């Protein structure tokens, strides 16, 4: 069983920074890709950023140039460095690991609240 544990959320003023972490434990095997998603009240969950096993990254247009996703393979951990935060970034942030090689499956973190005050 693979478990993901997130940390790093909190309350920050607009223009500030936060760094989220998501660490996997258990029978992990191969990690295909890692990603961060967010869900604001009344809205659907949306992709924020993803990083593949090869290190390629992709970002939502709304966070390009402000957020950076990275990974530490030795620690089975993915990070999301968030800078120049805006009130519209307020949401619950979830990490997701896609595990396996030929047959893949998803694991989600429990979510961490990020609140940006104006």
């Amino acid at each position: 069983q693979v478990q993901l544990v997130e940390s790093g959320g909190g309350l920050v003023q607009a223009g500030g920074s936060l760094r989220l972490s998501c660490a996997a434990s258990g029978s992990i095997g191969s990690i295909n890709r890692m990603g961060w998603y967010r869900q604001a009240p009344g809205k659907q969950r949306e992709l924020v950023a993803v990083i593949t096993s090869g290190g390629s990254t992709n970002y939502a247009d709304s966070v390009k140039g402000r957020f950076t996703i990275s990974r530490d393979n030795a620690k089975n951990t993915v990070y999301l460095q968030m800078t120049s935060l805006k009130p519209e970034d307020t949401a619950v942030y979830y990490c997701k690991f896609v595990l396996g090689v030929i047959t893949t499956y998803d694991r989600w973190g429990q979510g961490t609240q990020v609140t940006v005050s104006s």
Side-chain angles (χ1 to χ4, degrees):
Q1 189 79 335
V2 177
Q3 289 188 324
L4 305 185
V5 178
E6 301 178 27
S7 60
L11 173 64
V12 64
Q13 287 189 330
S17 300
L18 282 174
R19 187 195 195 205
L20 306 182
S21 300
C22 175
S25 62
S27 301
I28 299 169
S30 297
I31 300 175
N32 188 299
R33 58 189 180 275
M34 307 169 176
W36 288 96
Y37 293 72
R38 67 186 182 187
Q39 188 167 18
K43 294 187 176 181
Q44 289 189 332
R45 191 172 298 188
E46 62 176 358
L47 175 69
V48 175
V50 64
I51 184 166
T52 69
S53 58
S56 298
T57 58
N58 195 28
Y59 297 90
D61 288 342
S62 59
V63 306
K64 282 181 181 177
R66 300 188 297 122
F67 291 9
T68 302
I69 189 170
S70 61
R71 60 191 289 172
D72 185 332
N73 292 332
K75 296 181 178 180
N76 295 316
T77 299
V78 63
Y79 304 97
L80 186 68
Q81 179 68 49
M82 305 183 292
T83 63
S84 301
L85 283 161
K86 304 175 181 179
E88 51 263 44
D89 294 318
T90 295
V92 178
Y93 284 70
Y94 299 89
C95 61
K96 185 179 88 169
F97 280 32
V98 179
L99 303 167
V101 177
I102 299 175
T103 301
T104 62
Y105 62 100
D106 298 344
R107 283 293 180 267
W108 289 88
Q110 80 281 5
T112 186
Q113 177 70 46
V114 172
T115 303
V116 184
S117 63
S118 57

